[in-house]
Amino acid sequence: EKINTANICGKKPSLNIITNTWTNGDGLNDVLITADQRGNTSENIYNIFYQLNGVYSRADYVNELISFRNSINNQKRNLIIVNGEITEPSYDEISEIKRSNYSSPSMAVSELARNIVISDANLQQMVRYEFLEIMQEYSGKYSINRFVNTCVYVICWLKRWQKKLFSNWNANNIPCFVFFNCDFDENKIIFTKILSALPVDVLILNPALKNDCKIDDDKLTEFTYDSSLEINAFPEEGVS
């Protein structure tokens, strides 16, 4: 059964997300391009969905990350970095999701989407819309129980980070979400796809060239370098 996104959350959001087509293909430097330099159409928000595998230079990599972090902070952009493991939702996080028994994926996702509550009404509409659109791709693939569980997990992760990610949000200040050496199962891939459809720069850093730290998506631009570097976490600001 096809999920009618428009019936659930109204018309399509007025702002279009333009991913990667505007970039220079310059890795971390592209993420540092400010919103006003990414495009001049007020109906569009220009974001990034990049995956960087390996490192260009083992000697310079840590300092490059420190410089990147400092630049994002200097731009007053919200930054979230997840190191190594996207932890499963806790019992408390799951228990906060309002749900019931559902007879179809469309019923499940339409009711579960109401758990996504954001103070900015336009942003809330956008997040709900993209959640519905992307979950629709999986509605015929899973059993109803697994589909509901996946929806719940994704909403838990959205709620876990949305306050920090979208605090004082506006279209001229794009937040950045970095996955550093993270392993991705299918639920986490879905969460990442939803993030990439929002006004967020999504960056997957895989310096050790881990196979489990890769995802496939048509919108994703991937850079692969010859060298690898084992590093446990994104370096803290000021560490060299």
Side-chain angles (χ1 to χ4, degrees), residues 28 50-56 61 65 82 84 178-184 203-215 222-231 234:
L28 292 176
Y50 275 3
Q51 179 167 310
L52 277 61
N53 301 309
V55 299
Y56 179 75
Y61 187 70
L65 293 185
V82 177
V178 178
F179 296 94
F180 192 82
N181 274 340
C182 291
D183 295 337
F184 292 93
L203 190 59
I204 301 169
L205 299 181
N206 179 22
L209 293 172
K210 295 165 55 179
N211 288 330
D212 292 337
C213 191
K214 296 182 179 181
I215 70 174
E222 191 169 355
F223 302 83
T224 300
Y225 306 106
D226 292 334
S227 298
S228 64
L229 182 65
E230 293 284 347
I231 178 171
F234 199 105

Side-chain angles (χ1 to χ4, degrees), residues 156-176:
C156 285
W157 286 320
L158 286 170
K159 291 172 74 68
R160 180 186 294 174
W161 286 299
Q162 72 181 33
K163 185 174 182 180
K164 182 176 180 181
L165 194 63
F166 295 122
S167 174
N168 301 317
W169 179 84
N170 66 75
N172 294 316
N173 195 348
I174 306 299
C176 183

Side-chain angles (χ1 to χ4, degrees), residues 80 86-87 89 93 97 112-113 115-118 123-124 126-132 134-135 150-166 177 179 187 190-198 200:
I80 292 175
I86 306 166
T87 57
E93 287 176 317
I97 306 302
L112 288 167
N115 286 280
I116 300 170
V117 178
I118 300 173
L123 185 59
Q124 175 179 284
M126 190 182 303
V127 177
R128 287 183 176 183
Y129 185 92
E130 296 301 341
F131 170 76
L132 293 164
I134 291 173
M135 290 312 305
T150 295
C151 289
V152 169
Y153 268 48
V154 169
I155 293 170
C156 285
W157 286 320
L158 286 170
K159 291 172 74 68
R160 180 186 294 174
W161 286 299
Q162 72 181 33
K163 185 174 182 180
K164 182 176 180 181
L165 194 63
F166 295 122
F177 199 113
F179 296 94
N187 288 347
I190 294 170
F191 169 64
T192 306
K193 287 183 176 182
I194 292 172
L195 275 183
S196 73
L198 301 176
V200 178

Side-chain angles (χ1 to χ4, degrees), residues 32-49:
L32 298 178
I33 298 174
T34 57
D36 60 343
Q37 296 176 313
R38 296 184 177 192
N40 55 9
T41 305
S42 59
E43 294 81 12
N44 295 335
I45 294 179
Y46 301 85
N47 78 338
I48 280 176
F49 188 21

